[in-house]
């Protein structure tokens, strides 16, 4: 799952571009609609960076 800021025009446009042009191997979900407790992250963190969750691991920022 790719958690991104659904209120950020740049973020949403990048996700849409990646879905159309590259294809994503994860489901993109705006963090505003995700259960952050499920991932053990705070609102402050997801407001600061994109997160990639895969196989129980969480990657942030450039690693995501």
């Amino acid at each position: 799952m790719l958690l991104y800021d659904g209120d950020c025009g740049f973020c949403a446009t990048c996700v849409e571009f990646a879905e159309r042009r590259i294809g994503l191997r994860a489901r993109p979900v705006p963090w505003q609609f995700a259960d952050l407790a499920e991932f053990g992250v705070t609102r402050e963190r997801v407001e600061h960076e994109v997160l990639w969750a895969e196989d129980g691991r969480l990657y942030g920022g450039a690693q995501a």
Side-chain angles (χ1 to χ4, degrees):
M1 179 179 297
L2 177 69
L3 296 173
Y4 69 98
D5 187 347
D7 290 334
C8 171
F10 178 77
C11 297
T13 299
C14 288
V15 168
E16 290 171 15
F17 177 84
E19 286 181 297
R20 283 193 322 269
R21 301 288 182 138
I22 302 168
L24 293 175
R25 60 184 187 143
R27 182 173 53 109
V29 175
W31 69 259
Q32 291 87 346
F33 298 105
D35 179 5
L36 300 181
E38 175 184 345
F39 299 101
V41 298
T42 63
R43 179 180 174 143
E44 290 78 23
R45 182 171 181 191
V46 294
E47 287 178 336
H48 179 71
E49 64 183 345
V50 171
L51 298 174
W52 180 279
E54 180 177 37
D55 298 329
R57 300 187 80 189
L58 190 65
Y59 305 92
Q63 291 179 332

